[in-house]
Amino acid sequence: MTRTPSAILSAVPWRAYLLAALYFLFPIALGASNLVLLILLLLWLASWRHRETWTLMRHTPIVWWLAGLYLLVLLGLTYTSASPDWITLHLSKYARLLYAVALIGLLWQDERAQTLALRGFVAAMLITLVSTWLNVWFLLPWSVSQRTGWGVSHHVFGDYITQNVMMSFFVVVALHFGRTGTLPALRAFWFLTAALAVVSITHLSEGRTGFVLVITGLIAYVLATVRGRWLVLLLAGIVASAGIAFASSDLIRARFTLAYQQALNYQADPLSAIGHRIHNYTTTTELIAKAPILGHGTGAYHVRVCDVMPDPATCSTYNWHPHNQFLFLGADHGVIGMLLYGGIFVCMYLVARRSRSPLGRPLLLVLTTLMLLDSLVNSPLWSSRESQFFMYMLALFICIASNRGPLTSPEPRTVDGTHTRPQ
């Protein structure tokens, strides 16, 4: 019997291997990962199964919220005053919402693909971590930071903010592997990896965002996995460790001291990092108030924010993005856009809370927390690396958390070593 191309594609395990390549490449090679994604989507379309896709969409609410937000971006084309260049950029940036939808379809109930994808991401972050530490002593050809020595900022791929965002989540992943592992040697390896990853953020990088995110991620993980008297002790330990890290890191201490000074002098120096943000928050809020329901249209923020600036001549300095994803969507798409984006977080949280997966439940809760916090100080859907990180990991952990059984991970243990099921 002659087999159709669709049947042949369905029989080949291309999907799991390409997903592993995608999740390995996106943290370290953005262009190569985009090529793999294109190949992956083309092959998926060639083996399209409409009934299965429709069933998935009907029973996975977050798919509708992701697609709904992109449809709102398309609707905004009908009343925007933005130039074609800004419009095209918005369509391409927010297309990652649809990438997340496609990845959910590819990863859904395929534990082999989920396992390989997670391993791909972990491998990429291990390379990043090792390279960051090696850069203290050696000038690596692939490292962005071409400075050696202790006490200076090191980042390897992209920029230090996006590296620290991803590394903050990796800290929790490594900690979870150490906590739930069965082999003592492997548990020790993952605990050591988590510790080295924390130090790479606190002492080998000057970013404030990473410091706040890693502390928040650890607190979220403890809240998701620990009960009883150990909860208070571990939370106190995290706060104490954060204090020690802050006191012992010249890089972090200098950055937070500078932030405090910039916040005090934001009116006199609106071009500073903190002054820039306060200026953006003020002007963007005024812009939202002028069209609160549907906003000003796709990409209109970049043009219309100039109308509410005290000095329109400085528009090109401030109109890239407002360092707050909710305000960014509010300016272009009003309260409806902000609510749709908020709905994505609600879905992530509900999937995590209802999950029976000892791997997916705590890590999806942590991912939700980090993405929400980052959305309040950055525009993660606008930054290419941050957008890919959050959308790709959202898709992966939505699927892992939705599994009917555990995914290559034993049931989590309490601090005293006993096993416990998620409540």
Side-chain angles (χ1 to χ4, degrees):
M1 184 176 65
T2 303
R3 303 178 69 186
T4 65
S6 176
I8 294 173
L9 283 172
S10 299
V12 178
W14 54 268
R15 182 170 59 183
Y17 297 128
L18 283 175
L19 284 166
L22 176 67
Y23 278 81
F24 172 74
L25 287 171
F26 85 79
I28 60 179
L30 207 58
S33 72
N34 289 334
L35 178 60
V36 172
L37 178 65
L38 177 61
I39 297 171
L40 190 61
L41 294 178
L42 290 175
L43 288 174
W44 188 36
L45 290 173
S47 59
W48 193 270
R49 295 180 178 180
H50 298 281
R51 181 176 297 180
E52 291 181 3
T53 303
W54 172 244
T55 300
L56 166 65
M57 292 182 67
R58 283 195 301 118
H59 296 291
T60 311
I62 196 170
V63 168
W64 294 104
W65 289 93
L66 292 164
L69 184 54
Y70 194 76
L71 288 175
L72 187 63
V73 173
L74 295 179
L75 177 63
L77 300 178
T78 62
Y79 57 93
T80 184
S81 56
S83 66
D85 288 341
W86 284 122
I87 291 172
T88 301
L89 192 56
H90 271 251
L91 291 177
S92 63
K93 293 278 190 180
Y94 290 116
R96 294 185 181 91
L97 294 163
L98 300 184
Y99 298 169
V101 172
L103 288 172
I104 290 173
L106 287 163
L107 289 161
W108 190 256
Q109 296 301 329
D110 187 342
E111 294 192 12
R112 181 186 187 188
Q114 294 165 19
T115 300
L116 290 178
L118 181 56
R119 288 177 179 174
F121 171 74
V122 168
M125 296 312 298
L126 284 172
I127 291 174
T128 303
L129 178 62
V130 171
S131 298
T132 299
W133 275 92
L134 288 177
N135 197 218
V136 175
W137 299 281
F138 306 102
L139 291 176
L140 305 177
W142 57 88
S143 176
V144 175
S145 177
Q146 288 294 296
R147 297 182 298 172
T148 58
W150 191 266
V152 298
S153 183
H154 299 279
H155 58 283
V156 184
F157 305 107
D159 59 71
Y160 65 86
I161 296 177
T162 54
Q163 177 172 312
N164 286 343
V165 168
M166 291 187 284
M167 193 62 68
S168 298
F169 183 67
F170 177 65
V171 167
V172 181
V173 172
L175 179 63
H176 182 77
F177 286 169
R179 180 171 175 265
T180 60
T182 54
L183 297 177
L186 275 179
R187 295 186 67 192
F189 169 79
W190 286 118
F191 283 134
L192 177 61
T193 297
L196 291 174
V198 169
V199 176
S200 78
I201 296 170
T202 59
H203 289 70
L204 302 183
S205 175
E206 61 184 4
R208 293 180 291 256
T209 301
F211 182 81
V212 174
L213 287 181
V214 72
I215 299 304
T216 304
L218 289 172
I219 291 174
Y221 181 74
V222 169
L223 290 173
T225 56
V226 180
R227 298 291 181 270
R229 66 184 185 278
W230 286 103
L231 177 60
V232 176
L233 292 175
L234 287 175
L235 291 178
I238 292 172
V239 173
S241 299
I244 294 172
F246 182 85
S248 62
S249 173
D250 294 336
L251 282 172
I252 291 296
R253 194 167 59 254
R255 289 291 287 172
F256 276 92
T257 301
L258 179 62
Y260 177 72
Q261 295 171 347
Q262 290 175 349
L264 291 179
N265 301 319
Y266 77 93
Q267 291 181 322
D269 186 14
L271 292 176
S272 66
I274 301 301
H276 195 291
R277 279 174 165 79
I278 295 174
H279 185 280
N280 277 139
Y281 298 161
T282 302
T283 54
T284 308
T285 302
E286 292 180 22
L287 183 62
I288 293 172
K290 292 179 177 294
I293 306 302
L294 285 175
H296 298 272
T298 301
Y301 165 82
H302 310 285
V303 178
R304 297 297 299 274
V305 74
C306 306
D307 300 338
V308 295
M309 284 189 177
D311 183 6
T314 63
C315 184
S316 60
T317 304
Y318 299 99
N319 72 337
W320 179 239
H321 68 85
H323 294 92
N324 184 300
Q325 189 63 60
F326 286 95
L327 293 180
F328 201 0
L329 289 168
D332 282 352
H333 308 290
V335 174
I336 295 178
M338 297 170 75
L339 289 175
L340 281 173
Y341 190 54
I344 293 172
F345 292 101
V346 173
C347 284
M348 292 171 69
Y349 176 77
L350 291 177
V351 170
R353 289 295 297 174
R354 296 167 181 169
S355 174
R356 300 294 295 175
S357 167
L359 176 64
R361 182 179 186 273
L363 294 186
L364 181 56
L365 283 170
V366 171
L367 183 68
T368 305
T369 303
L370 296 183
M371 182 175 166
L372 178 59
L373 180 58
D374 194 47
S375 295
L376 298 177
V377 295
N378 287 318
S379 302
L381 294 185
W382 189 250
S383 167
S384 296
R385 286 184 183 274
E386 285 184 54
S387 179
Q388 286 192 315
F389 166 68
F390 282 116
M391 290 299 99
Y392 290 8
M393 300 311 286
L394 177 156
L396 176 59
F397 279 96
I398 283 289
C399 293
I400 292 176
S402 300
N403 286 335
R404 297 181 179 89
L407 176 68
T408 61
S409 173
E411 294 179 357
R413 289 187 280 192
T414 58
V415 177
D416 61 6
T418 58
H419 290 281
T420 180
R421 290 186 178 274
Q423 300 300 314

